[in-house]
Amino acid sequence: MIVIDIRTCMYPNCFEVNVKSHAISRSISLESIAENSHLYSFVPRQNSRNTKKPWLKRISTNKATRHHCFCDTHEEKFKKLDDHEIENTKDVVLQVYRSICVAFAQERSSMIKLHKLNDMNSYKDISAEVAEEFLRGSEYQELTPLLTEPKVLEVVQRKIMFLLSEKIDRECFSFENLAIQLKLLSDTIESKEIPYNELQTISVESFDHTIFYYKADFQIPVALNTIQHGRAGSTEVKVYSSVTPYEESTVIIGMLPNSLLGDQALVDKINDYFSSEYKVVKYIESVMSSSDGWFIKESVVKKMAKKKEEFFRTDCMFLNERKLFQEYDLSIFDELKIKRFNIAPDDQELLSIPKRPDYDVRYTDMLAAMGLVRSRAEQA
């Protein structure tokens, strides 16, 4: 079993112990949308030993977008981002580097905790049913009848844990290579001022990702730092997204693998999202609906009708239901749309609450998407 290191600084060639790092500036970003230094975020509560229920939690700006990532020394590398708005391309790439390091550190910790990867005895929690499912259709399928023997079951359990930890270890290695490329790009890229309300991209031949960014001349009351999961053909891909609010502006950054650029419909969808200020807000709602890692102004949630707030809270639980860049069918930023875009308070877009399957069905589908149970089709 591979033990994965989670306490070393993520800066290249640094082996110091990491501390908790903000992905987005607390002083000039998070506090700009906070009320009494607090924001709302989706943090599901443990409902029983094996289940959770949806919950929107009040979180201080000291904890928002924060996770063990860099050491004290290398935290200083991001001081400009903490004290000043993102103003040029050099800032953009540095923010992407910082954002993905913190987002990946959070995702890695979640995976290790979920599967108890650093617990040498966690293999014992793998049931005989899971072991049987693992053997089915494999070259070791003939071992299935022998799973009643403790020694055989233990071998299969250990094999499953090893393969899982090896997969996470490969992802860590892949991420480290990506982070090194980004760090090199941030050191070498030419510094160009960011225009307002224009979609811009950064693409270089030696880098297999494309960065896109947009600076709106108004505040969208959410801070976001997340990894979204999708597919390019049969290959799993990751899209990194961040939203950094300021008092009178908002910087939106995304980074996607170039393998996705072959999907013209997806490229057209992204371009369309940034064709107007209103659609930019819709874009952020789309990202929020298919990811976690967002922190929203408290009043945005508190001003929702009770039924709508309950629906939104529950919807946050089931990220598996929506695809990358899919338009979200529930309005989140109602007050902003009313004030900025003159949408009537009784407009159908603001009042509409979509239909969803029963909660139990959605929960089973979510567990299947996470690979924790068989899908309903497989069980049939």
Side-chain angles (χ1 to χ4, degrees), residues 84-101:
H84 303 280
E85 289 192 21
I86 295 171
E87 299 171 329
N88 56 55
T89 49
K90 218 169 183 62
D91 294 342
V92 168
V93 179
L94 187 62
Q95 179 63 54
V96 175
Y97 173 66
R98 181 193 209 183
S99 291
I100 72 165
C101 284

Side-chain angles (χ1 to χ4, degrees), residues 95 99 124 132 153 185 190 204 212 248-249 276 331:
Q95 179 63 54
S99 291
K124 296 177 182 178
E132 183 178 343
L153 177 60
L185 181 60
E190 181 182 357
V204 296
F212 61 90
E248 297 181 353
S249 63
S276 72
S331 175

Side-chain angles (χ1 to χ4, degrees), residues 23-258:
I24 294 174
S25 169
R26 179 189 182 191
S27 60
I28 63 171
S29 295
L30 300 178
E31 285 293 341
S32 75
I33 61 170
E35 293 165 333
N36 296 317
S37 292
H38 281 76
L39 301 163
Y40 268 4
S41 187
F42 180 71
V43 183
R45 280 185 170 181
Q46 202 73 36
N47 194 30
S48 67
R49 182 179 179 183
N50 297 313
T51 63
K52 292 183 177 181
K53 66 178 181 178
W55 195 258
L56 292 172
K57 184 177 181 180
R58 192 169 181 261
I59 294 177
S60 75
T61 55
N62 185 46
K63 294 181 178 180
T65 78
R66 193 172 179 226
H67 196 77
H68 284 282
C69 192
F70 299 107
C71 66
D72 283 323
T73 299
H74 290 118
E75 272 286 280
E76 290 297 310
K77 297 286 185 180
F78 308 104
K79 185 168 176 52
K80 184 177 185 296
L81 297 177
D82 286 328
D83 298 339
H84 303 280
E85 289 192 21
I86 295 171
E87 299 171 329
N88 56 55
T89 49
K90 218 169 183 62
D91 294 342
V92 168
V93 179
L94 187 62
Q95 179 63 54
V96 175
Y97 173 66
R98 181 193 209 183
S99 291
I100 72 165
C101 284
V102 175
F104 180 77
Q106 290 173 318
E107 185 174 87
R108 180 183 62 184
S109 294
S110 296
M111 290 300 296
I112 290 171
K113 182 178 180 180
L114 176 65
H115 299 290
K116 302 178 183 178
L117 294 182
N118 282 352
D119 179 352
M120 301 304 290
N121 292 312
S122 59
Y123 70 91
K124 296 177 182 178
D125 294 334
I126 297 173
S127 67
E129 291 76 18
V130 171
E132 183 178 343
E133 181 72 22
F134 171 74
L135 292 176
R136 185 178 293 129
S138 75
E139 59 183 307
Y140 306 109
Q141 187 167 330
E142 68 274 8
L143 292 176
T144 302
L146 302 177
L147 288 176
T148 54
E149 298 181 20
K151 284 295 182 182
V152 175
L153 177 60
E154 180 181 335
V155 168
V156 177
Q157 289 170 322
R158 287 183 178 275
K159 180 66 173 181
I160 292 171
M161 286 305 301
F162 174 76
L163 291 176
L164 184 58
S165 60
E166 194 176 49
K167 179 179 181 292
I168 302 301
D169 190 58
R170 285 196 303 269
E171 289 186 9
C172 291
F173 181 75
S174 176
F175 171 80
E176 287 170 4
N177 286 336
L178 175 62
I180 289 170
Q181 292 180 60
L182 265 174
K183 178 64 180 64
L184 179 62
L185 181 60
S186 72
D187 290 340
T188 57
I189 192 171
E190 181 182 357
S191 181
K192 293 182 179 179
E193 187 176 348
I194 298 174
Y196 279 102
N197 306 323
E198 288 183 26
L199 180 63
Q200 303 284 313
T201 61
I202 297 172
S203 179
V204 296
E205 189 175 341
S206 59
F207 189 47
D208 61 357
H209 284 66
T210 293
I211 297 169
F212 61 90
Y213 59 94
Y214 181 102
K215 188 168 186 176
D217 61 357
F218 61 99
Q219 185 191 79
I220 303 171
V222 64
L224 182 148
N225 188 62
T226 193
I227 301 174
Q228 294 169 277
H229 295 261
R231 304 192 76 84
S234 59
T235 305
E236 293 184 8
V237 295
K238 295 180 179 180
V239 174
Y240 298 87
S241 301
S242 70
V243 177
T244 305
Y246 301 111
E247 287 291 347
E248 297 181 353
S249 63
T250 306
V251 175
I252 302 155
I253 306 175
M255 185 177 76
L256 66 165
N258 290 341

Side-chain angles (χ1 to χ4, degrees), residues 269-295:
K269 182 65 176 177
I270 295 173
N271 284 325
D272 184 62
Y273 270 131
F274 291 93
S275 63
S276 72
E277 292 182 359
Y278 168 74
K279 288 184 177 180
V280 166
V281 176
K282 298 287 285 183
Y283 168 76
I284 293 178
E285 290 178 336
S286 168
V287 177
M288 289 176 64
S289 75
S290 58
S291 66
D292 48 21
W294 49 261
F295 300 84

